[in-house]
Amino acid sequence: MTSGQESRQVQGSESDVSCSEDKDNYNSKDEDLLQEGKSDNDSSSSNSESSSDSESDTAETEVNETNEELEKKEPQTHCVEPVVNIQRHCEHCRIQQGQQEQITPRRLSRGQFWLKLDAEGIYECAITGLVFEVTKAAVIEYSLLSWSKYAAFVKGPWIVGGPIFDVKCASPSVLTSIQFPHALCLNDHISDTTFRVFHFKNNGAELEHSVDHSATHVKWRVTSLSPVGPVVQENGSVYYHGVVILYKVVNDHPSMSFRVYVASNNDSFVKDVSKAIKHSGKKFIKIEKPPCQKLLQSGKKYRLISDPEAEITPEEVEFVDDSLLKVKSYIEVYLEQPMELTLSLLELESEEIVWKAKLRECDWKQHNQNDNEQKRRNGSIRRRKSSSSHSEEELYNKRLKGNDTSDGTKANPVLTDQQLMTLARKMGKNWKVIGIGCLNLSSEDIEQISGAKEEDASMYRFMMLRKWRDSEQSNGTAQSLFQCLNEEVSHDVLETLKGFVEQTMSL
């Protein structure tokens, strides 16, 4: 699973991992993997979070594709948010050499990864750390999700143990087991630590037994495929392999301001932070520094100090894993004048330094130059794309967007209850997954809808759609719903929505 293992590229993957604009990486090993096959010098790639246009929030859907259909998909290069996989080198963890082959996946749109496995075996994804065991050739798609969507389903004594993924494979019988990376340091407690696998299905969440666990992974026997991730039973203090995530505010003011996130080594958490930065209304540059040299302990208090002295708010924090929280806490560092500085994170009780990094002017100055170069490059790419032919689906989506009016003179009517019921009768049993993954409903909303006693199952789907429409207010139109559900529901549902859109266009 770690160094010394055979590493190879999946066919065609070189061109699919070449998005330099959004490279969001903490580890030099992963950097090397992402840079293979690039025609440009990626040492000048930008880490500006404001330049990323896509998220890896992939909606959770039921798997209904065959291996042949998955294989026929045309994997295309997209600038997507990369997953961060920090290879841990902990003095307390006895990491054993694995027998699996390490491979690099292709990147699809919307943050998905694509693997074509040619034969029976055990394979580790070089980007995410997921380990797949298959009995024969298979095609697997997977993407990183956010734990915050499932906060209501994770209750004590269980806590998040590592990232959560949406995994798709044509046949669960081919994919026999998955090993999930976890963020904990088990030290001498491997045998007395209890893991489960959180499995979100159409009828709600289940905590399924794990087969085994090691210093780095939790093994699970595949029962069905949907959102899955490791949880651990909290028993006293929990020790985490930690990271400190740094962002510098980019503006014309002579002062310097940083956001500092102290977190467990959990890719889902890192993804949430990246998303929060993009939607903050400010422009940031991500500054890459090594992870924590010492372990982070739940419930312990930590203080960030600066040399030279800076304004730091708050002065101290108690470390807890914020994976389930929608809003992540951070520390703000402010200096009136730009200068190089050293940041250190101290554990208050022992005064031990758990993390330390020197921030130099070159950490952000070079990024600014790279950002300008990348913008010029992207502008050229967009001009070339605009002259190329578009698929029927792209043209249809453009028609949808073109029908929008900013002055409100031709605003589309919202969906009626009758239209919502028509759609509800055509939708499948995975309405809970669609509600959370596509319509951004909370788990509390889904529980409230499920609590209603209805004889007709269509009523639950209708109430979900009505909840979405009412929350969207004037934007609860057929056009908006089509864009939310596109590629995540049946063809029949999409055709019905298209009909509703055409009706509004003719008004």
Side-chain angles (χ1 to χ4, degrees):
M1 298 180 191
T2 55
S3 60
Q5 296 167 323
E6 180 181 0
S7 177
R8 67 177 175 87
Q9 289 275 344
V10 176
Q11 179 184 4
S13 64
E14 291 183 358
S15 63
D16 296 300
V17 293
S18 58
C19 176
S20 61
E21 177 180 28
D22 288 325
K23 185 169 61 179
D24 191 6
N25 199 326
Y26 286 100
N27 183 271
S28 59
K29 176 181 176 184
D30 290 343
E31 249 178 71
D32 294 338
L33 290 166
L34 286 171
Q35 289 182 16
E36 288 184 19
K38 294 185 179 181
S39 58
D40 296 316
N41 182 1
D42 281 348
S43 63
S44 63
S45 63
S46 168
N47 285 316
S48 172
E49 292 294 336
S50 62
S51 64
S52 178
D53 295 323
S54 62
E55 300 294 331
S56 64
D57 259 339
T58 305
E60 302 85 355
T61 61
E62 290 184 323
V63 178
N64 56 6
E65 298 172 294
T66 66
N67 265 332
E68 291 183 358
E69 288 172 336
L70 284 172
E71 187 171 344
K72 287 179 181 177
K73 282 190 175 182
E74 184 67 25
Q76 300 176 2
T77 304
H78 294 270
C79 287
V80 295
E81 184 73 21
V83 177
V84 176
N85 179 35
I86 306 162
Q87 295 292 340
R88 296 178 288 272
H89 301 280
C90 174
E91 59 184 5
H92 304 289
C93 293
R94 296 187 294 272
I95 300 177
Q96 297 179 351
Q97 180 83 12
Q99 300 300 316
Q100 62 271 14
E101 182 179 1
Q102 193 174 84
I103 55 179
T104 302
R106 295 178 180 179
R107 292 180 182 274
L108 305 181
S109 62
R110 303 181 68 189
Q112 290 188 335
F113 295 94
W114 185 92
L115 278 180
K116 180 183 178 183
L117 306 177
D118 296 328
E120 176 184 4
I122 303 176
Y123 304 86
E124 180 180 11
C125 172
I127 305 299
T128 65
L130 284 171
V131 178
F132 303 106
E133 181 180 2
V134 295
T135 56
K136 61 180 180 179
V139 175
I140 304 174
E141 289 185 13
Y142 49 100
S143 57
L144 183 67
L145 303 177
S146 171
W147 274 108
S148 61
K149 290 184 177 182
Y150 308 98
F153 299 103
V154 182
K155 303 181 185 299
W158 300 99
I159 58 175
V160 170
I164 182 171
F165 294 90
D166 183 30
V167 182
K168 301 176 185 178
C169 184
S171 174
S173 62
V174 174
L175 179 59
T176 57
S177 73
I178 302 175
Q179 295 181 42
F180 303 95
H182 65 74
L184 279 63
C185 177
L186 302 182
N187 198 355
D188 295 325
H189 300 284
I190 289 183
S191 60
D192 56 6
T193 300
T194 303
F195 282 98
R196 292 283 186 272
V197 173
F198 175 91
H199 191 181
F200 188 80
K201 302 179 180 180
N202 294 327
N203 58 349
E206 295 182 12
L207 295 183
E208 300 185 0
H209 286 271
S210 59
V211 176
D212 195 7
H213 61 267
S214 66
T216 59
H217 285 76
V218 179
K219 185 176 181 180
W220 171 66
R221 190 71 62 189
V222 174
T223 55
S224 62
L225 292 175
S226 55
V228 281
V231 294
V232 63
Q233 187 173 22
E234 189 173 20
N235 184 15
S237 295
V238 181
Y239 293 86
Y240 293 88
H241 297 106
V243 293
V244 175
I245 310 170
L246 292 167
Y247 287 93
K248 180 185 180 298
V249 177
V250 179
N251 54 33
D252 296 328
H253 199 274
S255 62
M256 291 202 311
S257 180
F258 299 86
R259 280 192 186 185
V260 181
Y261 294 84
V262 180
S264 63
N265 181 13
N266 181 337
D267 293 353
S268 290
F269 187 101
V270 176
K271 170 184 175 289
D272 287 346
V273 169
S274 177
K275 185 176 179 181
I277 288 292
K278 289 172 189 170
H279 292 83
S280 66
K282 297 179 180 180
K283 184 176 179 181
F284 289 85
I285 286 174
K286 191 170 189 298
I287 299 177
E288 304 289 353
K289 294 298 174 183
C292 295
Q293 292 88 27
K294 302 290 184 179
L295 299 174
L296 297 176
Q297 185 177 352
S298 62
K300 290 284 187 178
K301 291 187 177 181
Y302 295 85
R303 174 175 293 163
L304 188 68
I305 60 174
S306 171
D307 182 20
E309 187 175 350
E311 293 182 27
I312 299 179
T313 307
E315 294 182 353
E316 60 184 53
V317 294
E318 180 179 338
F319 177 74
V320 292
D321 183 53
D322 288 342
S323 295
L324 295 174
L325 300 180
K326 199 167 187 178
V327 179
K328 314 299 185 188
S329 59
Y330 63 89
I331 302 171
E332 183 183 47
V333 178
Y334 176 82
L335 294 94
E336 291 186 353
Q337 298 296 327
M339 63 185 70
E340 296 185 352
L341 69 155
T342 299
L343 293 178
S344 303
L345 186 67
L346 274 69
E347 196 270 298
L348 284 182
E349 185 177 342
S350 65
E351 296 187 350
E352 181 181 35
I353 296 178
V354 299
W355 175 86
K356 186 175 182 179
K358 176 79 172 180
L359 276 61
R360 303 171 179 86
E361 187 177 6
C362 60
D363 287 330
W364 56 83
K365 191 171 184 180
Q366 183 66 31
H367 292 327
N368 288 337
Q369 297 171 358
N370 297 338
D371 192 29
N372 294 333
E373 175 62 26
Q374 190 65 47
K375 285 179 180 178
R376 287 194 294 271
R377 225 182 264 175
N378 292 340
S380 175
I381 293 173
R382 277 194 283 269
R383 285 192 296 272
R384 288 199 300 271
K385 283 186 176 179
S386 64
S387 61
S388 61
S389 60
H390 297 277
S391 67
E392 181 181 347
E393 193 63 42
E394 288 173 327
L395 292 173
Y396 186 80
N397 287 332
K398 284 195 171 187
R399 287 179 62 196
L400 291 182
K401 293 177 182 178
N403 194 51
D404 288 339
T405 55
S406 57
D407 57 6
T409 57
K410 293 177 63 179
N412 292 332
V414 298
L415 286 160
T416 65
D417 285 352
Q418 290 76 15
Q419 289 174 320
L420 294 181
M421 180 56 74
T422 300
L423 293 170
R425 289 186 175 129
K426 295 177 181 290
M427 295 180 72
K429 297 179 179 179
N430 62 332
W431 64 273
K432 294 181 181 179
V433 173
I434 291 173
I436 293 177
C438 300
L439 304 183
N440 288 324
L441 299 186
S442 66
S443 53
E444 289 83 359
D445 293 332
I446 298 299
E447 285 188 335
Q448 183 180 8
I449 294 171
S450 301
K453 298 186 180 300
E454 299 290 345
E455 294 183 1
D456 187 350
S458 297
M459 285 301 298
Y460 296 111
R461 300 189 282 272
F462 167 76
M463 288 188 286
M464 173 192 70
L465 293 172
R466 186 177 62 184
K467 180 75 175 179
W468 170 84
R469 181 199 64 187
D470 294 346
S471 66
E472 293 291 311
Q473 298 181 357
S474 61
N475 199 38
T477 63
Q479 173 180 323
S480 296
L481 186 58
F482 179 89
Q483 292 168 344
C484 289
L485 299 180
N486 194 12
E487 299 181 1
E488 306 300 341
V489 292
S490 68
H491 178 74
D492 193 17
V493 172
L494 291 179
E495 287 301 310
T496 303
L497 269 172
K498 284 183 181 181
F500 292 158
V501 172
E502 295 292 347
Q503 292 175 16
T504 60
M505 287 179 175
S506 62
L507 294 178

